[in-house]
Amino acid sequence: AMQQANGGFALWPHGETYDWGSVYAAHFLVEAAKAGGDIPDERRDAALEFLRDLLRRAAPPDADTPLWREDRGRRAYACHVLALAGRPDHGWNARLLETADRLGASARANLASALILSGRPRDAAALLDRAPTVVDVARQTGGNLDSPARDLALELAARVELDPSDPRAAQLALRLSGLRVGGAWHTTQENAVALMALGKYYRARPARPAPYVAALRADGREMPFTHERIFRWAGAPAPRSIVRIENRGPGALLYYARLHGVPSNGRIEEADHGLRVRRQLLDLNGHPLDRARWLQGDAAVVRVVLDPLDNPFDNIVVEDLLPAGLEIENPALATSESTAWVRGRGDWVQHRDLRDDRIILFTGRVVDRREYHYTVRAVTPGRFAWPAIQAAAMYDPSIRSANGAGWLDVVAEEDNR
């Protein structure tokens, strides 16, 4: 649905083509087709033709600049995907190899994969061996969306393609798994590329692991199991109790554990890390509104203020959850004409998602303070928690802000009398 007439892809409906996202989408269309997915040939071919067009573009003239490195990163990724689809671009493979020492980590890994798939494994091996394994890549909120997990995964996939028995592949797989937080990586891109790379790695391992006999001990119970089936246990251990897994061998036992719950205070940390988001209440004339007690039927304007604090960011998502007693006023209704003064101030928002209980705003590049307004109406009497408004960089969750949790009382008009 996001594919454009030129074969590339946009982040949002009716948006502009996003080059890195277009190569990424083409990559997984090709991977899905190779894995047996039902991918329409014309859509995949259009995506691959977009990659050809990307390689035909004029390159930035100034080498070793951020713009030049980003351009080379996209070209290396395009070469990887074209080679994966059986349509390698030998000319650009060679040109990129000539400047390999100036390429970033993801570009080197993608170029190595392109060379392997194009029948040049020796050149790929030399490229990977002379370049250091990814150590610390600066995370990007836009552009090519560089991140340590993504780039480690790309290198792992290249080394598995080159030599599945290479001990460095096992080291990369371990490091990549160690970057998970709460069982997953930080972004959808990281999860997709990491799972793809780990899938390739484990697919190349011996098909028949050694058998084992094991047991799980919890709350005085012993639950035996073996390698013959996946053992699952879900429970709520007693406070301060210990859950033990005992493997009597001889094979290796792989296990995964997840603990989840609801915070006892029900609130998130309110703080500003790299950017600031605030919520202000206004009356229908734009004057500040400072009250926590509303009459049923009252309307107000919510002003969302986003400030990057002099640090330009791309792809910020703002999520404003509503108390259960409020609902968002449809701007198309006649009753919303009284707030026409707020219109035309949200053009910096690339996409918005209006739901029953929240509004979610997605931005492009934000370089200075921005405002967005929407109207809410009190519909249900009662006392309701008002969650904090939150903002975060979609591709760098460490950049985030939360503020403004509180309470709202909505009373019926007859109760107010």
Side-chain angles (χ1 to χ4, degrees):
M2 301 298 176
Q3 193 169 29
Q4 310 294 290
N6 61 4
F9 293 82
L11 282 172
W12 308 110
H14 315 297
E16 296 181 355
T17 302
Y18 177 33
D19 286 347
W20 180 266
S22 297
V23 187
Y24 170 77
H27 182 188
F28 281 86
L29 286 176
V30 173
E31 288 281 6
K34 291 175 74 68
D38 185 14
I39 308 299
D41 290 341
E42 67 274 11
R43 296 295 92 219
R44 182 194 58 193
D45 290 346
L48 294 174
E49 187 57 31
F50 175 84
L51 304 192
R52 290 284 189 200
D53 290 339
L54 187 152
L55 293 177
R56 296 186 189 108
R57 296 179 194 172
D62 299 326
D64 297 325
T65 62
L67 183 63
W68 184 90
R69 285 191 290 272
E70 281 201 2
D71 176 80
R72 285 300 192 269
R74 287 189 291 272
R75 292 176 190 269
Y77 196 8
C79 286
H80 175 187
V81 177
L82 287 169
L84 185 67
R87 308 175 189 184
D89 190 302
H90 299 290
W92 264 106
N93 286 347
R95 292 178 66 180
L96 290 167
L97 189 58
E98 291 172 356
T99 59
D101 292 336
R102 301 201 295 273
L103 298 178
S106 64
R108 291 196 302 269
N110 277 315
L111 176 57
S113 292
L115 292 170
I116 295 166
L117 296 165
S118 302
R120 301 175 61 181
R122 290 186 180 180
D123 289 333
L127 173 62
L128 289 174
D129 288 344
R130 79 178 190 229
T133 296
V134 177
V135 177
D136 186 17
V137 177
R139 185 182 290 275
Q140 288 184 303
T141 62
N144 289 354
L145 302 177
D146 285 344
S147 77
R150 194 276 307 274
D151 292 358
L152 272 175
L154 288 171
E155 183 178 348
L156 172 60
R159 289 196 179 277
V160 169
E161 192 76 35
L162 188 64
D163 180 7
S165 64
D166 187 338
R168 288 169 293 189
Q171 296 168 6
L172 286 168
L174 185 63
R175 289 179 56 191
L176 180 60
S177 297
L179 292 179
R180 292 176 300 165
V181 177
W185 293 269
H186 286 295
T187 69
T188 53
Q189 178 196 219
E190 290 179 347
N191 279 283
V193 180
L195 288 172
M196 176 202 69
L198 288 171
K200 292 177 183 291
Y201 171 70
Y202 283 106
R203 195 177 300 120
R205 290 169 64 88
R208 294 186 178 180
Y212 62 81
V213 176
L216 183 143
R217 304 175 189 273
D219 296 337
R221 298 174 57 203
E222 178 175 320
M223 293 162 271
F225 60 97
T226 71
H227 65 283
E228 294 177 341
R229 65 181 181 88
I230 295 176
F231 176 75
R232 293 182 174 89
W233 177 76
R240 300 180 182 84
S241 67
I242 296 176
V243 177
R244 299 183 186 277
I245 299 175
E246 178 183 340
N247 181 18
R248 298 161 188 156
L253 164 65
L254 303 179
Y255 71 90
Y256 170 73
R258 182 176 66 176
L259 180 67
H260 62 93
V262 178
S264 58
N265 61 9
R267 295 198 175 191
I268 64 170
E269 174 199 12
E270 293 194 20
D272 301 319
H273 299 283
L275 79 164
R276 181 168 56 224
V277 67
R278 295 294 184 266
R279 176 177 57 215
Q280 300 172 354
L281 293 178
L282 310 174
D283 64 23
L284 298 184
N285 296 314
H287 303 131
L289 186 65
D290 184 17
R291 70 170 186 263
R293 189 170 186 269
W294 294 26
L295 285 178
Q296 186 179 15
D298 278 355
V301 174
V302 180
R303 171 187 285 158
V304 175
V305 181
L306 181 65
D307 189 345
L309 302 177
D310 299 322
N311 298 300
F313 295 119
D314 294 283
N315 301 309
I316 302 296
V317 56
V318 179
E319 186 174 29
D320 195 10
L321 277 74
L322 298 177
L326 298 185
E327 68 177 21
I328 297 175
E329 187 88 342
N330 187 337
L333 296 176
T335 54
S336 66
E337 290 303 317
S338 58
T339 57
W341 56 271
V342 306
R343 298 178 184 175
R345 300 189 181 188
D347 53 355
W348 55 278
V349 174
Q350 286 198 345
H351 182 71
R352 68 176 186 176
D353 187 358
L354 300 180
R355 303 183 184 178
D356 291 340
D357 64 340
R358 72 195 67 190
I359 183 171
I360 308 175
L361 309 175
F362 300 89
T363 80
R365 189 163 183 80
V366 179
V367 299
D368 52 17
R369 185 180 183 274
R370 297 289 183 172
E371 295 183 1
Y372 185 88
H373 300 78
Y374 67 98
T375 308
V376 295
R377 189 174 297 276
V379 294
T380 307
R383 181 172 175 78
F384 307 100
W386 199 325
I389 186 172
Q390 302 179 60
M394 293 174 65
Y395 298 98
D396 188 350
S398 67
I399 301 169
R400 65 188 188 278
S401 174
N403 180 266
W407 294 90
L408 171 71
D409 291 308
V410 178
V411 298
E413 187 172 357
E414 57 270 17
D415 295 337
N416 188 56
R417 292 198 300 267

